[in-house]
Amino acid sequence: MESSFKVDVDCPTCAREIEEKLSGLKGVIEVEVYAVSGRVLVEHTSEVTENELKSYIHELGYETSFEGSYLEYTSIWVGSRAIKTWIGGLFFITAFLVNFVFTGLEFYLISFYGHELFISSILYLASVVSAGTPIVKNGFRSIRNYDLNIDLLMTIAIFGAIGIGYYVEAAALAVLYSVAELLENYSINRARSSIRDLIDLSPEVAMLKTSDGLKEISVDKLNEEDVFVVQPGERIPMDGVVVEGSSLVNQAPITGESQPISKEKGDEVFAGSINDTGYIEARVIRKHSESTIQRIIQLVEAAESGQTKREKFVNRFASYYTPIVVLIAFFTILIPVLLGYSFETWFIRGLTFLVLACPCAFVISTPVSIVSGITSAARNGVLIKGGNILETMGEVDVVAFDKTGTLTSGEFQIDEIVPLNGYSEKDVVRYLYSLEQNSEHPIANAVSRYADKHEIKGERASDFESDTGLGISGEIDGRRYYAGNSDLFEKKGINIEKEVGEITSRLQRLGYTVILIGGLEKFIGVVGVRDSPRPEAGQVIDRLRSLGVEKVVMITGDNEKTANNVGKEVGVDSVYAGLLPEEKLRVIQDLKKEHVVAMVGDGINDAPALAEADVGIAMGAAGTDVAIETADIALMGDQISRIPYLLKLSIKSNKVIRQNIWSSLTVKFLLALGVPFGYVTVIIAVLVGDMGMSLGVTGNALRLSRTKP
Ligand code: ADP
Ligand code: MG
């Protein structure tokens, strides 16, 4: 069973806390809590129900709500916590003014257990009460749950400061720490709302075509086979196939490609894209919840789940860091006091250590960076399936490209037809067309286009078989025929006539991909097809090198001569040709021994190699469910120019994460060094170590969303 709902987590450490507590429950198999979206996903047995899980979370002190609302936007700066903070701040400023500037207003009130209370003291305390209540509440929650969270440490620090009459410090702690928390929430919310923007792309209603006119209907009420209408200028509400009309459609929201694409009868359109010019009618092909944009949204949300190595390191580190610093705080107070130094001085220094024990900045820095990077990639048509993948991508030093459809356009052209054994050109095309009608290979598209254009009809062959990377076969008029490269015929034990061999070599030298067509007894003909390298392929490869990729290779099932021609033209370092899918896989395994390898392919017949590579990148994934499902990264559009962008983004995000972790550690360390000498006060610790660092790391993370293709 699986339950999924939203919980109001406002800090990454809280998410971990809930995760840990839930996974200890009976009947719970696996738990994931996404810090950014607040989504809780629990896999469990029937021993525990969703309601029990929720009430347990409630007992831990968190609010839960229903599925669906987990990306709801609540403004951080006007929430109840914010208002308490602002009031606390006002009290603090007033107190400060009375205390140090308009000292005429200051007067002595009473003495209370040896504490001298002035007007300003009361104002400071009011500030603590207002800004500090939520902190203290969270602190007690942590005692109840038997763990050491940062709110508890802050609570101790605040009470400690009050206890020795350091009202300014107590108030500053309460106010500044609250502001730091608000900032943290704000940046989590920024990341959250960038996911929400994706959701806003797809319309909620569609115009359904019915027998008595058009009817507005909510998209989740539409069924497959329903026909909907889209006027020019409107967003397309569902994934569908055009059945009437034609138009230019801007698919940028899905694929990141901004040039409008012409759509005619039979073409697929995607929910969320914009119908620019014409009126179209389309037939629904996927339910709303399974539409391409919905899957993108689901995957982007789930992308938080794949923890990066650094994130794991940080979390492990944080779990040691806090208790160690707390111990330091304890000894900072104990030792000097035993040695007879001033209790007050060292007590407040100890409290300063408690404040420094907050791992906040470095715990939040990674998830925020990753969400920021992954969401901005999704907007540019690049779907990255997890933080760990973004991280690995940033370490890639070998990129392997598939040839057909990846480095080349995949749009084959039939240029040469050589009939044999008394057959005509038309016969050759007819047999080939009969066979290819069953195939989805780019070559098959070329054949069907050619047959249409020359009005050649061919019965669809029966008993179809495909030998991936070799070719296809089927029965025509009760006999078996084959179409593919010479390896296919060798495999089938068909002797390749001398003449056929010569024609094949001649065409291959000219750069053709050669298709032999024949039956068990004799050959019907040879066809030379060609697709050209993408014009931008050379530039893309240069750009990859300048980004630090050591080696760019091409891996293909096509013949060596053709492959070498293409390889030379686009400038790859090496070419591996004539490979079957499992041989492609072996090449990847070899490369992986010394390198971090990314493989770029079409995701359909390259699936094994894509799966084997450290990072598998599928091109042209919009509409092909398999590719979106299996690849680590899916390029929704068909542009290889997204690969350098992807690499740049990943390298940058690794850098940002590293900077964030090390700078926050360094700052904490330097602050800690200053404490025993009295250079770093409680106020500086919370101002710099908490508020400043939170601001710094999230600001740094948001830089990622500005990376442009
Ligand atoms: P690539 O690795 O370049 O993407 P494939 O693995 O898809 O190439 O195919 C390798 C070779 O197998 C092609 O170059 C072609 O000779 C042959 N082949 C594969 N599928 C077909 C088909 N449907 N019709 C004819 N030939 C095919
Ligand atoms: Mg291919």
Side-chain angles (χ1 to χ4, degrees):
M1 265 192 281
E2 203 176 78
S3 293
S4 147
F5 45 89
K6 178 198 151 108
V7 58
D8 265 338
V9 282
D10 39 23
C11 61
T13 37
C14 309
R16 266 198 307 138
E17 185 186 322
I18 298 175
E19 218 168 73
E20 272 165 29
K21 296 281 171 191
L22 281 183
S23 51
L25 280 187
K26 198 165 168 223
V28 171
I29 303 166
E30 217 183 307
V31 193
E32 284 204 80
V33 181
Y34 302 152
V36 175
S37 60
R39 186 177 197 175
V40 184
L41 257 178
V42 191
E43 210 194 311
H44 57 95
T45 63
S46 54
E47 285 168 280
V48 60
T49 66
E50 178 164 334
N51 279 333
E52 282 167 355
L53 290 170
K54 281 188 186 165
S55 57
Y56 183 73
I57 293 182
H58 216 83
E59 273 171 40
L60 292 177
Y62 298 95
E63 296 292 323
T64 55
S65 49
F66 294 107
E67 162 82 29
S69 62
Y70 49 81
L71 287 172
E72 215 158 82
Y73 188 82
T74 42
S75 177
I76 302 303
W77 308 118
V78 295
S80 72
R81 175 94 192 243
I83 290 170
K84 287 178 190 150
T85 308
W86 305 143
I87 295 175
L90 274 182
F91 275 122
F92 183 81
I93 293 169
T94 322
F96 196 83
L97 290 177
V98 171
N99 198 177
F100 297 106
V101 185
F102 306 111
T103 39
L105 294 172
E106 179 80 307
F107 57 89
Y108 175 79
L109 288 173
I110 47 168
S111 169
F112 184 76
Y113 288 105
H115 292 300
E116 312 221 299
L117 292 181
F118 291 82
I119 283 280
S120 67
S121 325
I122 299 299
L123 289 169
Y124 283 129
L125 287 174
S127 162
V128 169
V129 171
S130 179
T133 319
I135 306 174
V136 174
K137 241 175 139 169
N138 287 347
F140 280 117
R141 173 171 82 198
S142 127
I143 297 181
R144 232 183 28 204
N145 300 340
Y146 303 110
D147 60 20
L148 185 67
N149 80 5
I150 192 59
D151 285 308
L152 178 59
L153 300 182
M154 284 294 171
T155 305
I156 297 173
I158 291 169
F159 280 125
I162 294 175
I164 57 168
Y166 280 56
Y167 304 120
V168 192
E169 280 77 3
L173 271 183
V175 173
L176 293 177
Y177 178 68
S178 295
V179 174
E181 292 268 277
L182 290 176
L183 282 172
E184 233 170 69
N185 281 350
Y186 173 71
S187 56
I188 289 180
N189 237 338
R190 278 279 300 253
R192 197 179 292 177
S193 70
S194 63
I195 303 177
R196 239 176 49 99
D197 287 349
L198 284 173
I199 295 178
D200 291 341
L201 288 176
S202 65
E204 282 164 18
V205 292
M207 291 310 275
L208 175 70
K209 198 176 168 188
T210 64
S211 47
D212 41 31
L214 296 181
K215 208 176 104 195
E216 196 175 88
I217 178 172
S218 150
V219 283
D220 41 76
K221 297 250 161 53
L222 278 175
N223 295 314
E224 280 170 52
E225 303 302 317
D226 282 345
V227 172
F228 58 91
V229 163
V230 193
Q231 305 288 348
E234 287 179 355
R235 272 187 196 274
I236 292 173
M238 292 286 269
D239 284 11
V241 166
V242 178
V243 290
E244 198 59 65
S246 67
S247 180
L248 289 176
V249 171
N250 180 345
Q251 306 198 136
I254 312 288
T255 63
E257 291 165 308
S258 51
Q259 324 78 318
I261 293 170
S262 141
K263 298 281 182 184
E264 291 166 15
K265 220 168 148 173
D267 288 338
E268 205 173 315
V269 291
F270 300 108
S273 46
I274 302 151
N275 177 24
D276 270 349
T277 51
Y279 165 93
I280 50 175
E281 292 177 8
R283 179 170 47 82
V284 176
I285 52 169
R286 282 184 207 99
K287 278 190 300 194
H288 170 67
S289 57
E290 284 159 15
S291 69
T292 308
I293 183 89
Q294 287 300 326
R295 296 168 77 114
I296 295 178
I297 292 165
Q298 285 156 14
L299 289 169
V300 168
E301 269 171 28
E304 270 188 75
S305 61
Q307 275 201 355
T308 65
K309 284 178 272 171
R310 291 202 182 83
E311 211 170 346
K312 285 186 193 139
F313 162 78
V314 165
N315 286 342
R316 216 172 30 234
F317 181 85
S319 63
Y320 292 111
Y321 174 83
T322 306
I324 288 176
V325 181
V326 171
L327 271 186
I328 295 178
F330 180 71
F331 286 112
T332 306
I333 300 171
L334 189 69
I335 295 173
V337 170
L338 287 182
L339 295 175
Y341 291 96
S342 145
F343 169 76
E344 211 178 270
T345 312
W346 289 96
F347 184 70
I348 196 78
R349 287 179 188 172
L351 293 186
T352 311
F353 271 114
L354 280 191
V355 173
L356 288 177
C358 177
C360 321
F362 49 88
V363 171
I364 188 186
S365 68
T366 318
V368 170
S369 309
I370 282 166
V371 171
S372 170
I374 288 182
T375 320
S376 104
R379 291 208 189 143
N380 288 301
V382 179
L383 196 53
I384 305 170
K385 298 273 196 64
N388 46 349
I389 292 166
L390 185 68
E391 181 181 44
T392 315
M393 187 65 211
E395 292 160 1
V396 159
D397 57 352
V398 168
V399 180
F401 284 98
D402 171 45
K403 179 179 77 76
T404 313
T406 306
L407 282 178
T408 65
S409 65
E411 295 188 355
F412 283 95
Q413 199 78 22
I414 296 189
D415 283 352
E416 286 273 348
I417 302 173
V418 187
L420 295 162
N421 298 323
Y423 287 98
S424 69
E425 269 195 24
K426 214 169 154 176
D427 291 331
V428 177
V429 177
R430 201 174 54 238
Y431 277 95
L432 183 58
Y433 182 46
S434 295
L435 293 168
E436 296 285 6
Q437 280 176 47
N438 296 296
S439 164
E440 287 184 349
H441 199 273
I443 291 178
N445 296 335
V447 172
S448 105
R449 242 181 298 126
Y450 187 91
D452 275 353
K453 194 170 151 204
H454 295 83
E455 294 181 345
I456 299 171
K457 303 256 178 305
E459 286 288 308
R460 195 188 186 108
S462 59
D463 214 7
F464 174 77
E465 256 176 50
S466 160
D467 287 86
T468 312
L470 296 172
I472 52 178
S473 68
E475 272 187 25
I476 303 169
D477 301 332
R479 285 173 180 229
R480 193 130 204 107
Y481 290 92
Y482 300 87
N485 55 23
S486 25
D487 290 345
L488 175 72
F489 286 81
E490 263 163 43
K491 186 181 166 197
K492 302 293 172 190
I494 299 168
N495 178 42
I496 297 172
E497 298 159 25
K498 190 159 167 254
E499 196 193 351
V500 176
E502 281 165 8
I503 300 169
T504 306
S505 312
R506 179 175 64 84
L507 291 179
Q508 285 181 347
R509 269 197 304 277
L510 293 171
Y512 286 103
T513 296
V514 181
I515 308 161
L516 317 183
I517 303 120
L520 289 168
E521 280 103 48
K522 57 184 175 188
F523 278 89
I524 297 169
V526 176
V527 170
V529 297
R530 204 167 9 197
D531 73 332
S532 32
R534 294 173 190 267
E536 69 276 23
Q539 257 180 347
V540 164
I541 290 171
D542 286 344
R543 185 91 187 86
L544 288 178
R545 289 215 181 85
S546 71
L547 286 167
V549 171
E550 266 174 49
K551 213 154 86 166
V552 180
V553 306
M554 182 169 103
I555 300 184
T556 176
D558 206 350
N559 76 81
E560 198 154 327
K561 293 191 197 93
T562 312
N564 279 330
N565 279 343
V566 175
K568 223 176 283 158
E569 195 170 334
V570 300
V572 295
D573 297 296
S574 24
V575 172
Y576 302 86
L579 303 175
L580 294 175
E582 60 273 16
E583 295 170 323
K584 289 185 179 179
L585 184 144
R586 226 158 294 134
V587 172
I588 299 287
Q589 281 173 340
D590 265 354
L591 290 168
K592 260 175 73 175
K593 282 182 196 144
E594 287 171 26
H595 299 279
V596 181
V597 182
M599 162 90 198
V600 192
D602 52 25
I604 301 163
N605 62 8
D606 296 321
L610 288 182
E612 180 65 30
D614 295 296
V615 184
I617 307 171
M619 303 247 312
T624 56
D625 299 349
V626 204
I628 299 186
E629 216 59 65
T630 52
D632 298 317
I633 298 179
L635 306 187
M636 302 309 287
D638 202 23
Q639 307 147 295
I640 41 171
S641 57
R642 285 292 187 267
I643 310 264
Y645 156 75
L646 169 63
L647 185 62
K648 192 168 106 189
L649 180 75
S650 330
I651 293 174
K652 199 162 151 190
S653 80
N654 279 349
K655 208 156 94 190
V656 163
I657 292 171
R658 253 191 328 260
Q659 284 168 351
N660 278 355
I661 293 174
W662 292 115
S663 61
S664 44
L665 276 181
T666 313
V667 168
K668 291 258 161 155
F669 183 72
L670 291 178
L671 289 174
L673 275 187
V675 176
F677 303 101
Y679 294 135
V680 175
T681 63
V682 172
I683 296 179
I684 293 180
V686 66
L687 196 67
V688 178
D690 222 16
M691 220 176 87
M693 278 328 290
S694 289
L695 259 186
V697 297
T698 57
N700 200 19
L702 290 174
R703 284 197 307 145
L704 288 175
S705 59
R706 287 194 291 270
T707 311
K708 290 268 142 28

